[in-house]
Amino acid sequence: MSATTSNLLRSSLISLAATSISLAAGFASGIIAARLLGPAGSGKVAYALWVATSAAALADMGLPQTLLRNAGSLSGDGETWKALVRTALRSFMISVSMVSAAILVFAAITYVQRDARHAWFWIVTGLLFLSYTFHVFSTAIARGRNRFGQTARSTVLGGILQVPLVFIGAWLLGPTGVLIGYIARYLPQALKLRGYIDRDIRPSREALTPEMHRYGRYIWLSDLIEILVLSRIEFLFLGLVLSPTSIGYFAAGLGLAGLIEQVMLQISPALIVSFTDAQAKDDRQMLQAAYSRVIRIVALIMLPISFGGATIMPDLLPLIFGDAFKPAIPAAATLLAFVWPGGLSVIPWGMIGASGRSALLLRVQIVSGILTIMLLTVLVPLMGLEGAALARATIVTLTFALLGRTAWKYVRVAIPIAALTKTILAALLCAAAAGLGIYNFDGAAAVATAIPAGAVAYVLAIRFLRLITPEDVRILMDTAGGKLPRASRPLVNSLLNLVAPG
């Protein structure tokens, strides 16, 4: 196994483990907000989260992505990367201060036109913006320096803090209190930023090269389109055409789909760092092998959850969020059924970004953004929630196709179509088996029956379609086997031998 493949899988697994805990905390927080605040209150929280993350994307100017790509191997271990961080931080602080001032002005206007309670909501949203922004900047530096273990620990700590604070905040202060819990989620890594700054190193204009400026500019514009348009712009259309309650319904559906999508977004920094190293060695064969293997393994994880989750949605959504959210079932099922192209898109995105061709990413984002607005303008007035979900499903599928084609044309790496098609077939068999449980039972009994039925069908499909190779098993065990508890290793080996017969 190559060192690049080993480092890629190890970094990805570290990020995945920490992210799983963080996502569980975020999902639990969404449930708490839905249960205590109802659709309207949870919709208000979802809207504030979108505003805070959008403001962060506006303020960061692509600097975190620039540091992620360049603070590692391209800058070496000497003073170069420290000068790069100091220079980027100076520009970063200026833009963050400007956006913070704008949020404070809006809060002051809200106080004059409405009341102190609404003004405090936007002040806390501004604090969330600061916490999240510095978290992103600090995380980019750490991961660029391959400190994935450190960011993993901070992520876990943030998740542990988030859940009780969200509950207490929702109980005592409503939507504003929920946001306080989200602030705590990002603080542990944000506060580590001081440890990455060497104050003896002075900022230098030469540290940020023209190529870095160009890369960061294109990535920044791409991220703006992603956050402002492609991620949650449905909230704006639903709020204008329908009501804040509809935002709560849609946010519940996105909460389930987002669990899967966010896993891939957290793995993506490891992809960019590892793909950058591989491209620096100019080993096309190694790059294609890593690209294909990551797509195959990620598809194996995402597709059964995507299709199976959509199948059990009529019983799962009310069980989690309450009967008040039953109107969201069709939209939530559509969102989950098509979340897998969005998750897989991270892989060609990381490959293109690692090659330095950020302008290509911007082109794809512009096309996707324009089509998103066009579809939402037509479908939301006609179909409401379901129209918003259908528009998102269409766009994520198109974006994956565009990114895959771009990666093939300019980086010369191809999506393993045959393996992906067989995985889709296996996931459909999983969903069909899960559907038997939903058809014969109701509520918790239906979900409890459907999940194991789908899992058994999927394991059998993996074996007979030969979706996992003995080489995949060897790489996985070499990377993660030593970290498993000794008592569980025979069981894991038996399961892997079952799904990947030699």
Side-chain angles (χ1 to χ4, degrees), residues 71-90:
S73 60
L74 296 183
S75 296
D77 296 321
E79 304 296 318
T80 305
W81 77 270
K82 296 179 181 179
L84 175 62
V85 170
R86 284 283 283 157
T87 305
L89 180 64
R90 181 175 58 181

Side-chain angles (χ1 to χ4, degrees), residues 51-176:
V51 170
T53 53
S54 297
L58 178 64
D60 71 30
M61 300 187 298
L63 291 169
Q65 288 289 343
T66 300
L67 292 175
L68 174 66
R69 182 172 181 265
N70 296 283
S73 60
L74 296 183
S75 296
D77 296 321
E79 304 296 318
T80 305
W81 77 270
K82 296 179 181 179
L84 175 62
V85 170
R86 284 283 283 157
T87 305
L89 180 64
R90 181 175 58 181
S91 301
F92 181 77
M93 290 299 298
I94 294 172
S95 62
V96 168
S97 299
M98 293 173 64
V99 175
S100 299
I103 294 175
L104 285 176
V105 169
F106 182 78
I109 294 173
T110 302
Y111 175 76
V112 172
Q113 294 187 344
R114 303 190 71 174
D115 53 38
R117 181 171 61 89
H118 288 88
W120 272 111
F121 177 81
W122 288 110
I123 290 174
V124 174
T125 300
L127 294 175
L128 174 61
F129 153 73
L130 289 173
S131 177
Y132 178 74
T133 303
F134 284 106
H135 162 87
V136 170
F137 192 85
S138 175
T139 299
I141 299 172
R143 287 175 169 171
R145 300 301 300 172
N146 207 25
R147 299 177 185 176
F148 287 91
Q150 188 178 82
T151 60
R153 290 189 292 271
S154 298
T155 299
V156 170
L157 177 58
I160 293 172
L161 290 173
Q162 179 182 0
V163 176
L165 289 176
V166 164
F167 178 80
I168 295 170
W171 184 31
L172 297 177
L173 300 173
T176 303

Side-chain angles (χ1 to χ4, degrees), residues 9 37 58 138 195 229 375 457 459 496:
L9 288 175
L37 305 179
L58 178 64
S138 175
V229 180
L375 283 174
V459 168
L496 291 175

Side-chain angles (χ1 to χ4, degrees), residues 222-406:
S222 297
D223 285 347
L224 279 177
I225 297 172
E226 173 67 30
I227 297 295
L228 291 174
V229 180
L230 298 178
S231 66
R232 298 293 185 271
I233 198 174
E234 295 94 345
F235 291 169
L236 182 61
F237 280 83
L238 291 171
L240 292 174
V241 176
L242 300 177
S243 66
T245 301
S246 67
I247 298 178
Y249 290 146
F250 198 79
L254 279 180
L256 291 167
L259 281 174
I260 307 172
E261 198 169 18
Q262 284 298 317
V263 167
M264 281 309 303
L265 290 176
Q266 292 297 321
I267 290 176
S268 64
L271 298 179
I272 292 174
V273 172
S274 298
F275 287 157
T276 299
D277 291 342
Q279 294 198 42
K281 297 173 183 176
D282 197 27
D283 189 333
R284 294 286 109 187
Q285 185 175 359
M286 180 179 67
L287 201 61
Q288 176 64 59
Y291 183 69
S292 297
R293 179 168 287 112
V294 171
I295 288 178
R296 287 194 300 103
I297 298 301
V298 170
L300 279 169
I301 297 170
M302 292 194 67
L303 277 161
I305 300 174
S306 184
F307 292 170
T311 301
I312 67 175
M313 191 60 68
D315 289 281
L316 182 63
L317 191 72
L319 187 65
I320 294 175
F321 293 101
D323 291 339
F325 285 82
K326 281 186 175 180
I329 289 174
T334 301
L335 290 170
L336 196 54
F338 285 91
V339 73
W340 64 271
L344 290 180
S345 293
V346 172
I347 303 169
W349 175 282
M351 181 63 73
I352 297 166
S355 71
R357 294 175 170 87
S358 51
L360 300 175
L361 297 176
L362 178 58
R363 292 182 196 173
V364 173
Q365 293 293 75
I366 289 174
V367 172
S368 299
I370 292 172
L371 291 176
T372 295
I373 293 174
M374 292 173 60
L375 283 174
L376 289 172
T377 301
V378 174
L379 294 178
V380 170
L382 288 177
M383 303 172 63
L385 280 173
E386 291 77 10
L390 184 59
R392 174 174 283 261
T394 303
I395 293 303
V396 295
T397 305
L398 174 64
T399 301
F400 176 55
L402 288 174
L403 287 170
R405 180 181 179 276
T406 302

Side-chain angles (χ1 to χ4, degrees), residues 65-66 69 211-219 353 356 358:
Q65 288 289 343
T66 300
R69 182 172 181 265
E211 191 276 334
M212 292 181 190
H213 278 295
R214 183 168 56 253
Y215 175 84
R217 183 167 58 251
Y218 286 132
I219 285 290
S358 51

